Amino acid sequence: HGAELAAPAPARVAQTPSIAMPAVPPAPKPIMEFPVPDPSKARHLFATVLDGADQSALLVGADGYGRLDVRAQVQMEDGAIIYVQYYGVLEMNEAVANALENGTATNFGDHYFRTTPRFETSDPRYEWLQQGVFVGQGRILEGPGVEYNVFQVK
């Protein structure tokens, strides 16, 4: 006879509330802005999230901040398809709560909302997106949806 083994004690797992982050509305929204020394020459790239081509999660912690995990395919105005994946942090303050509850927008300065997007594409026109590090600042749009200003770290 072998020695009897006691069943392991069940692991304790802290439950974190999960909120599904709404998808970006289908209307074109500026998702990327790359500043250059002369602000009048900044490039504004517009894209829309392809229907059914996004997965978003927002896990809200006890510290009042949400952690984003987003993956989406976007179509640029010129037809290029780009895969975008980003993690981020969203301060779940009163402005955010009101916007999500009432379907209203926030301004970029109303909360801490930062992302670190990564891009993949086979389109040579956007190869440069795969060769840099980017950070984004977000805000909530009416609907609700989201809008980002994304900057390349130089």
Side-chain angles (χ1 to χ4, degrees), residues 30-35 39 42-45 135 148-152:
I31 64 164
M32 293 176 275
E33 178 179 350
F34 298 87
R43 290 194 280 176
H44 296 271
L45 305 176
V135 293
Y148 298 99
N149 285 328
V150 178
F151 304 91
Q152 185 172 15

Side-chain angles (χ1 to χ4, degrees), residues 82-118:
I82 298 175
Y83 173 77
V84 182
Q85 177 182 4
Y86 59 88
Y87 298 107
V89 177
L90 171 59
E91 177 186 16
M92 302 299 294
N93 63 14
E94 189 174 328
V96 171
N98 286 338
L100 294 176
E101 185 176 320
N102 300 315
T104 57
T106 63
N107 294 311
F108 286 107
D110 289 345
H111 43 64
Y112 185 87
F113 188 175
R114 304 294 187 272
T115 63
T116 54
R118 181 177 71 78

